[in-house]
Amino acid sequence: MRRSMGLRRAWTGALASLVIGLGLTAALAQPAAAASGTPKAVTKYKQVSAEGDYVGQGQTLSYTPATAAVTVSGNAGDAQLSVSTDTDWWNVELAAPQGETLHPGVYRNAERAPLRTGRSPGLDVSGSGRGCNEVFGQFSINQIETDPSTGAITLLDATYTQRCESATAPTLKGVVKYRAYPLSYAYTSDAGDYIGAGGKATYTGSTSTFSAGPYGDGVRYAVSGKRDDWSATLTPPTGEQFQVGRTYQAERFASTGTAGLDVDGDGRGCNAVTGELTVTKLGLDADGTVKAFAATFVQHCEGGEPALHGTIHYYA
């Protein structure tokens, strides 16, 4: 009989309380240097322009600090990212509704930022002399942090979709990252897999909350969002510590030479697990507190062939 998780919401709440007590909430912006697998902040800008889009001219472009000057200005109410090279420039403005500040979430029905009305959020992407007179679009804030003294933006992670002059115009889509540590959970479930029910999904900061805390010598991780709750317990083989980059054979409970892997989703869990996991990043404070964690896993329930494939990025 497959394991039922009828108390999962209570368990998730208890874990969230534990994590908050440990200072491991998703509001963290600057993970400490890791004991191993030091996490790296990401700065990049990418845009994909559909054919017929006036601003992007149907091109796909990508920039990093190695190829362009990438800067952020503004504040939590009106954030701007600027990208410039010797030949072109781009500017992305993301603005909260008047009188509000940006926070993780999805901002729909955006209008051109300098001209937004009422309670509408603002969006304005322009570049190389081209811009919209009127904007129709939306954007998502996955992470945002500001300096407590100056209000300057210190971290930004967002995506956007912009249409020029008409709600049905071709799209310009973009990804904005400024000193952002990856924060997401994604899974793909094979047909017949009990946990994932054959589906797939990705959870980011705009829709979901994340937590991670110590569990013996391992990590207990939880995600809540999109009407879903996920938890994962990952532990090294008995008597060992996780080694970054190593792939472990796994069962539900760790034993000598075998790691522990137990991933639950929306009330569904395995009585017995076989599979494997790889820890790709592990960032710890001096006292062992989890500050950054990344892993991939493949989990089979009850000895079956169908698998749940997952990727964890917790500030790493």
Side-chain angles (χ1 to χ4, degrees):
M1 180 177 180
R2 291 184 171 109
R3 181 160 56 105
S4 172
M5 298 291 292
L7 298 177
R8 66 185 173 86
R9 293 190 180 275
W11 182 91
T12 302
L15 175 60
S17 298
L18 168 65
V19 170
I20 290 171
L22 291 170
L24 295 173
T25 68
L28 292 170
Q30 300 292 334
S36 58
T38 303
K40 296 181 180 179
V42 176
T43 296
K44 70 176 184 180
Y45 174 64
K46 180 178 181 179
Q47 64 179 36
V48 179
S49 171
E51 183 178 356
D53 166 54
Y54 171 65
V55 175
Q57 297 286 289
Q59 295 182 307
T60 295
L61 302 172
S62 183
Y63 304 90
T64 69
T67 60
V70 183
T71 59
V72 163
S73 59
N75 51 51
D78 191 329
Q80 298 186 40
L81 178 101
S82 297
V83 178
S84 63
T85 71
D86 292 338
T87 57
D88 52 23
W89 60 267
W90 297 94
N91 188 74
V92 179
E93 183 175 4
L94 308 172
Q98 297 285 359
E100 300 182 21
T101 57
L102 296 169
H103 55 79
V106 180
Y107 292 80
R108 297 182 173 86
N109 301 316
E111 301 176 1
R112 186 179 173 195
L115 305 176
R116 63 194 187 279
T117 62
R119 299 186 183 279
S120 295
L123 171 65
D124 193 3
V125 184
S126 59
S128 299
R130 297 183 299 275
C132 306
N133 293 304
E134 191 170 9
V135 166
F136 297 80
Q138 71 174 50
F139 61 91
S140 297
I141 301 294
N142 296 314
Q143 301 176 74
I144 185 169
E145 294 293 336
T146 58
D147 184 284
S149 300
T150 66
I153 294 171
T154 57
L155 181 156
L156 181 62
D157 180 356
T159 62
Y160 70 80
T161 299
Q162 173 179 278
R163 300 175 188 265
C164 265
E165 321 308 346
S166 166
T168 59
T171 59
L172 176 66
K173 298 184 178 182
V175 175
V176 173
K177 291 185 183 292
Y178 180 75
R179 298 179 180 175
Y181 292 88
L183 179 65
S184 64
Y185 171 66
Y187 77 89
T188 301
S189 170
D190 295 342
D193 167 54
Y194 174 60
I195 306 302
K200 63 179 180 179
T202 298
Y203 304 82
T204 61
S206 63
T207 60
S208 308
T209 58
F210 307 82
S211 58
Y215 184 81
D217 292 325
V219 175
R220 180 169 280 170
Y221 172 79
V223 180
S224 179
K226 295 184 174 181
R227 301 179 184 267
D228 296 323
D229 289 304
W230 289 89
S231 67
T233 303
L234 303 96
T235 52
T238 302
E240 298 184 29
Q241 302 291 323
F242 273 134
Q243 296 179 26
V244 173
R246 176 180 168 186
T247 297
Y248 298 87
Q249 295 304 303
E251 297 179 354
R252 185 180 171 199
F253 300 107
S255 60
T256 302
T258 302
L261 173 64
D262 191 6
V263 182
D264 305 320
D266 288 342
R268 299 181 296 274
C270 307
N271 292 301
V273 166
T274 55
E276 63 180 37
L277 67 92
T278 302
V279 175
T280 54
K281 297 286 184 181
L282 179 59
L284 306 172
D285 270 351
D287 63 359
T289 299
V290 179
K291 301 296 285 187
F293 180 70
T296 60
F297 65 83
V298 178
Q299 174 177 277
H300 303 267
C301 262
E302 325 305 352
E305 182 65 25
L308 177 70
H309 309 259
T311 303
I312 294 168
H313 288 290
Y314 183 78
Y315 298 112

